């Protein structure tokens, strides 16, 4: 790298981490993405399914984002209740993990450090816990213990 106005090059060692929700291979076939750029970027591609395809990850991510929101906002840490977690797990997450992060932060703001207002943050009325237990779910995550509870 040569700085503007500089006289000597500076050696740099950098890695590029890039993410997209687009199918880049299909875009290359369609002529909408440069193949040479793909070959430079695809040294170690990691394909991660959308959050809606891995609802089992939602509870741990929600706990993480709740702790992060409390720190960022200077609030007392409030963890999602079991009802909150059922609600979060039943949501489709079209905005993926970024949406989950925003919803948890919004829930923390709406709860004023006393609780998370997950239903309000999602823009829905609170519903009874039983409404979020699906007939085919194998386990329910417990926020209080931080572990999965197998249904009997």
């Amino acid at each position: 790298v040569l700085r503007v106005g500089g006289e000597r090059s500076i050696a740099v060692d950098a890695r590029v981490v890039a993410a997209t929700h687009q199918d880049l291979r299909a875009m290359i076939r369609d002529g909408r993405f440069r193949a040479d750029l793909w070959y430079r970027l695809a040294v170690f591609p990691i394909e991660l399914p959308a959050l809606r395809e891995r609802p089992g990850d939602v509870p741990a991510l929600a706990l993480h984002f709740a702790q992060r929101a409390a720190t960022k906002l200077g609030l007392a840490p409030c963890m999602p209740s079991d009802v909150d977690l059922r609600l979060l797990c039943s949501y489709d997450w079209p905005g993926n993990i970024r949406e989950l992060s925003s919803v948890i932060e919004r829930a923390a703001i709406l709860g004023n450090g006393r609780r998370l207002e997950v239903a309000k943050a999602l823009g829905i009325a609170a519903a009874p816990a039983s409404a979020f237990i699906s007939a085919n779910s194998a386990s329910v995550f417990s926020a209080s213990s931080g572990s999965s509870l197998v249904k009997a």
Side-chain angles (χ1 to χ4, degrees):
V1 172
L2 183 61
R3 285 189 268 197
V4 175
E7 296 179 9
R8 284 185 266 149
S9 293
I10 301 170
V12 293
D13 182 14
R15 299 284 187 260
V16 175
V17 178
T20 184
H21 64 282
Q22 302 291 323
D23 183 350
L24 295 180
R25 290 180 186 104
M27 291 176 70
I28 291 168
R29 280 192 307 271
D30 297 342
R32 296 182 298 135
F33 193 83
R34 290 179 22 204
D36 64 306
L37 181 56
W38 166 253
Y39 294 123
R40 288 186 179 271
L41 290 175
V43 173
F44 192 81
I46 300 172
E47 294 189 19
L48 188 63
L51 187 55
R52 73 182 147 273
E53 296 174 26
R54 19 185 207 109
D57 290 352
V58 171
L61 289 167
L63 291 172
H64 167 75
F65 290 135
Q67 291 168 337
R68 189 170 81 175
T71 301
K72 177 181 177 182
L73 300 169
L75 300 171
C78 296
M79 297 300 113
S81 68
D82 290 342
V83 172
D84 292 336
L85 291 173
R86 289 183 191 108
L87 179 58
L88 293 168
C89 287
S90 71
Y91 186 71
D92 194 38
W93 301 112
N96 224 333
I97 196 164
R98 289 182 187 98
E99 183 182 13
L100 175 59
S101 174
S102 295
V103 164
I104 295 296
E105 186 171 339
R106 188 176 320 121
I109 292 168
L110 292 169
N112 287 324
R114 292 185 301 276
R115 66 186 164 280
L116 294 177
E117 292 286 353
V118 171
K120 284 183 184 177
L122 284 169
I124 58 174
S130 60
F132 303 109
I133 301 173
S134 71
N136 62 357
S137 63
S139 65
V140 173
F141 188 86
S142 171
S144 56
S145 68
S147 61
S148 291
L149 305 173
V150 177
K151 283 176 57 175

